[in-house]
Amino acid sequence: MAKYIMKRIVYMIITLFIVASLTFFLMKLIPGSPFNNFEKLSEVQQNILLDKYGLKDPVPVQYFHYMVNMVKGDLGVSFQFDNTPVTELLVNRVGPSAQLGLQAMVVGAIIGIILGVLAALKQNTWIDYLCTFIAVVGKSIPSFIFAGLMQYYIAVKLGWLPVMLWRGPEYTILPTIALAMFPISIAARFMRTEMVEVLGSDYITLAKAKGASSFQISVKHALRNALIPVVTVLGPLAVSLMTGSLVIEQIFGVPGIGEQFVKSINVNDYPVIMGTNILFAVLFVIVTLIVDLLYGIIDPRIRISGGKS
Amino acid sequence: MKKSKLSLLLVLSLVLSMFLAACGGGDKNEGKEKGNKKANTEEQLADKQELNVLESAEIPTMDSVMNQDVLGATMFNAVNEGLYRLDPDQKVIPGVAEGMPEYNADKTVLTIKLKKDTKWSNGDPVTAHDFVFAWQRAIDPKTASPYGPYFMMGKIKNATEIVNKKAKVEDLGIKAKDDYTLEISLATPIPYIESYLTYSLFYPQNKKYVEEQGKNYAKDADHLLYNGPFKMTKWKGPTATEWVLEKNEDYWDAKNVTLTKINFNVSKDPQASANAFTAGEADITPKLAQAAILSQFEGSDDLLRYLEPSNWWLKMNEKNKALKNENIRRAIALAVDKKALVDDVLANGSIVSDFIVPKGFTVDKNGKDFRDTTDSYLKTNKEEAKKYWEKGLKETGLKEVTLTYVGQDTDTAKTTDAFIKDQLEKTLPGMKINIESVPFKIRIAREDSEQYDLLMGGWGPDYQDPMTFMDLWVTGGGNNHMNYSNPEFDKLIDAANHELAKPGKEEERWKTLQKAEKIVLEEDAALAPLYQRSVNLLINPKVKGFAHHAFGPDYSYQWIKIVK
């Protein structure tokens, strides 16, 4: 087990190195300058600015500097936010996004799994159709439509919850629901498909023949076996939820990282693009590792350390 | 049977969503009723003088020397003060200065006396040395201020030399003759110098404090000093999405400041901002441009609409063989129905532009608007456009013309661009337009590298003088980028910048600039002006005395009163 994890960590570092390098060179291909009103400045002035931020060096030299600093934990300073270290920006902004993403993930996974299980157990009844309908709606209607509708009807018209901003638990409810629609639909659809398949398998028939209660069958035997594919898709989904949604954050005025990431690309804020991308990559590889470890816990037949089985 | 149940459900949900969508339009009348009721009540001050404002972005920096952002300028205007500031009618009024400057004979040296009772928020007096320090800091190449040199070069004495390392920072044309007397030397007479000095780059900074704080200066609200109508009491730095201003009791004009507190929050989604406003969570929204949102508030007294000095036009790159031809350019300029563009496509109160220098921006000595004393040019005329088009095609020997049109990738920009393409292709047979919608930064890059045939661009003023719109078009000018060149035009602009900038020549200078405008549009048809933009925002009708400005800061909050 420890050996396996060590090996995975080495792979993770290699992956991160490749991601960072690719991002760096791709980013340099974005046309335009990172400075506002750059075109209005005289050449001398432009050179002073380029010098200050080390943008006059050839790209490979810049790359080398960046990688060395990155290893030291220095991700540079933002261009758009005068003199703000990128690490500070990430630390400030990632909190709300991660909180929102986790809440949406938990809410989404629980509701989705319940819907999926219900649909599978009550196959081809109105419960099944209702659950499927919710899943289809959740998947096909973009979250910003839900966000907009909820904001207008629940917050503006009914006044039950605040319209926007980020000041306390009640401010997180609407964005969480809006963001949870997608995981709900994904979890429900995967869960239903897997459950239907598992319920038709021989060992369920055996359990039934042995006289196990239907609750025992569905929870202990069917659910656990059907969870594997759900965990596989929910892992990466959790990362994309936690790294922030541009539209949801904009609509509800959440000071998160998603909006910031898109903006940093639009304004060529190189250090922020790099920093955010590396952060996303780190989260992604960590979650992938956790998902792989979870497989072993959910289904003991999967041996992650390999060989000895 | 089962299938039909499902489809019934789908149909039901569709009907439901249509019903919901239809409900969305109900606001208009509600707003009006509310407004009428309010108008009848007497104007008594509310007990709570607290304002909630939404802004569409964070403050990139609170170091006035490093700022190049409009929101930044608006905040400095609220929490700090320079020599002068703009009043609600865009007139220059004294701030830290005691009165208007005294000039020498050729208007190149200004002597300004300062008020003796203005204070920094740490108790230090605001002195002439604070101005000298801030200005020197702004021009110092070590500071790498993006706007310092841009605003000072060619205007303040020795600024250009300092940037080019031919003079020392101390040689900059600003001297403290004593603690409360400033002497400013200009490189050349500047007719608009007084309004120019209202810009936040020219604000004072407390030398001792800035040097003490070093890298921490302007890091957050606790590492700043204030000498304006408000103090910033909460701001965690450039990434903060909320900040708070409170009244500065030590401000010299504090008796005329009624507001006690302003809460700012960032909201980047226009519809969400409008929702927060409707729910009463905000008193003032950011600028809203989308016709779909504005239509919900059309006619309501929540909607504040005013023209801003921002002019939008189609740039025609003369590197293109067809666009080198004057008749083809004129045909393009005349072919677009600008009235339909502003009324039906933009639908946000923008007006047709048949000019370069915008309306309501600058006035002459007698207080008359630049636009009211001259003509307009290139008015929409499709018949004429067709004639010029045929003539142009004959002259160039072309049968069809295919042009690359670079526009921005926002929704509003895309509809505008599609409309213009349609107008041009329908009016001018043989014209083919390929639209490329790109992000803002890339549009600018394409413009700089002159990789376009037609480009939808706009310009806002850097200072309050027609020149900020006129010198764009000189041969090889840093913002020409359409290969336009007319030596006669260049001569007129040069004259207006030099000989005619001297005292007593104001009227002639104005006429010269108007003549130059006529050359670009009427004689050369170098540019196809389309519209002058309107600002739209929602403001609680109980908020009185909200002032907006034509250049520099967007707004002033200090004269606001909230009525019952």
Side-chain angles (χ1 to χ4, degrees), chain B residues 294-306:
Chain B
L294 295 174
S295 65
Q296 303 162 21
F297 295 91
E298 203 65 54
S300 139
D301 61 357
D302 293 336
L303 182 65
L304 172 66
R305 173 174 281 173
Y306 58 90

Side-chain angles (χ1 to χ4, degrees), chain A residues 189 207 258:
Chain A
R189 284 178 336 132

Side-chain angles (χ1 to χ4, degrees), chain A residues 33 40 45 93 151 153 259, chain B residues 20 145 149 239 268 441:
Chain A
S33 121
K40 285 186 177 180
Q45 180 62 19
R93 285 303 179 89
Q151 186 178 56
Y153 289 100
E259 185 272 326
Chain B
L20 289 180
S145 154
T239 61
K268 303 193 181 191
K441 281 268 172 184

Side-chain angles (χ1 to χ4, degrees), chain B residues 5-23:
Chain B
K5 262 192 201 165
L6 190 68
S7 57
L8 186 71
L9 209 55
L10 276 171
V11 169
L12 264 176
S13 71
L14 272 177
V15 171
L16 188 72
S17 62
M18 274 161 76
F19 169 72
L20 289 180
C23 283

Side-chain angles (χ1 to χ4, degrees), chain B residues 71-87:
Chain B
L71 173 59
T74 306
M75 288 305 124
F76 292 121
N77 184 54
V79 300
N80 287 107
E81 185 162 66
L83 293 164
Y84 301 101
R85 63 166 64 239
L86 294 173
D87 79 351

Side-chain angles (χ1 to χ4, degrees), chain A residues 140-154:
Chain A
S140 49
I141 299 183
S143 57
F144 69 89
I145 304 266
F146 281 117
L149 285 173
M150 282 197 306
Q151 186 178 56
Y152 189 74
Y153 289 100
I154 298 179

